[in-house]
Amino acid sequence: MKRIIFIACLLFCVFSSTNGEAQNAKSVEIKGGFSTEQSVYKKVEKIVIRDSEKWDAFCKDNNLENKPNVDFAIDEVLIVTGGECTSTGYEVKIHSVDAFGKKLKVSYTINAPIDGEKISPISSTPLTGVVITKSGLEAEFNDIAKYVPELLAQLADDDWEKRENATKKLVRMGKIVVPEALKILNTSDAEVKMRLRYILSEIVPSFLIQQTGWLGIYMNQLEINAPAVTEHIKEGCGIMVSSLIPDQPAEKYGIKANDIIIALNDKGFESINDWAETLKSTSPGTRVNLTLVREGKKQEIAVVIGNRPKEKQDPEMVNGLWNDWWNKHTEIKK
């Protein structure tokens, strides 16, 4: 009898420990991130880097310009690659990192372009990575795309709270949701369709916009006879950086207020409009060399051109693109 009681107690302790482990899953803070469309990885891979030598080799091999600061005494890096893709528009996204018992659960998706997205027919090999505080745990990578059908089904659940939670989760998951959502768009009840419209309106518009080059600066034109540039340019004009928009490419790559840009890839500018058109026509993700004058001295600085943020887009244009896309994919009954 005592033996039976002992075994029962042991099983209870094991079950309690496992159950407590699930309840004690903790979200891990992501301290920084990076991504590129052109890497050396031709296959889907999951990588954990915990030393500076391996990190330096990784950055060099992948020409990683926008790499975050990593202190491997306290940090580690988690990376997912997307493999070889047929065009731009593919992306890898790490959604969350959670400490769960003795595991580090890394949730990610590998996303393909959606219908209507502006892409270039250039093969890509995307990857993304995040920096977290060193955990000492074994990393387990989990492609959460498999949960999309289940979450979409919950939009019709009798429990309002489940519907609401599923809606929020689907928005956070991003464009991996779009293909599955389109399958049920015209066969759903009124509330589900309303929720799908909201979810897609939060995801789709940013991918419909024709992405143009962006640095994130406010600027003024300096004429050729301005003392600050007269010895550096013989024709055209200089572009004075009056201020920077935080967390945009110009700031990340070391451009400073009062810098004067005089050339992009050795090409000067006739006017501030000429500069703007040159920048707009440069595809996001392109690495360029800017020639600038800083405190009277000419120097070169390498910058990777970024995408114009959502909040800096023309709202009327964005709404028009979104409405056209929605109408195309729904049955409009008059």
Side-chain angles (χ1 to χ4, degrees), residues 23 94 119 127 141 152 154 172 196 210 295 319 321:
Q23 291 177 349
I94 292 178
I119 60 174
L127 66 74
F141 293 82
L152 287 170
Q154 289 178 15
R172 289 197 298 269
L196 287 172
Q210 178 64 60
E295 296 179 350
N319 287 336
L321 290 170

Side-chain angles (χ1 to χ4, degrees), residues 19 32 60 98 151 172 191 198 210 226 230 248 253 285 307:
N19 191 47
K60 182 179 179 181
D98 297 286
L151 288 169
R172 289 197 298 269
E191 181 176 349
Y198 167 73
Q210 178 64 60
T230 186
Q248 297 303 308
Y253 287 93
N307 288 317

Side-chain angles (χ1 to χ4, degrees), residues 1 4 7 39 63 67 71 73 125 128 131 162 212 219 250 304:
M1 185 66 180
I4 294 172
I7 293 172
S39 73
N63 194 27
K67 62 180 181 180
D71 179 357
T125 47
T128 194
V131 182
K162 273 191 177 180
T212 57
M219 57 205 169
V304 176

Side-chain angles (χ1 to χ4, degrees), residues 30-49:
I30 293 175
K31 301 167 71 173
F34 56 92
S35 62
T36 180
E37 286 191 357
Q38 302 295 335
S39 73
V40 298
Y41 297 96
K42 304 296 185 182
K43 297 180 180 179
V44 175
E45 296 188 39
K46 295 93 176 182
I47 304 165
V48 180
I49 298 180

Side-chain angles (χ1 to χ4, degrees), residues 89-91 111-114 117 173-179 203 207:
Y90 289 83
E91 67 171 13
N111 307 325
I114 62 172
E117 183 175 350
M173 290 178 77
K175 70 176 179 178
I176 197 71
V177 170
V178 177
I203 297 170
F207 299 106

Side-chain angles (χ1 to χ4, degrees), residues 185-248:
L185 199 55
N186 292 313
T187 59
S188 306
D189 62 32
E191 181 176 349
V192 172
K193 191 165 185 176
M194 176 192 72
R195 287 183 178 274
L196 287 172
R197 181 181 174 94
Y198 167 73
I199 291 164
L200 293 171
S201 72
E202 291 292 304
I203 297 170
V204 171
S206 61
F207 299 106
L208 301 180
I209 300 163
Q210 178 64 60
Q211 297 289 0
T212 57
W214 166 264
L215 280 179
I217 61 174
Y218 294 106
M219 57 205 169
N220 296 308
Q221 179 173 315
L222 283 184
E223 301 301 334
I224 190 173
N225 59 357
V229 295
T230 186
E231 65 178 288
H232 300 290
I233 56 176
K234 305 303 179 186
E235 57 184 16
C237 71
I239 306 301
M240 165 72 81
V241 178
S242 56
S243 61
L244 303 168
I245 299 174
D247 299 321
Q248 297 303 308

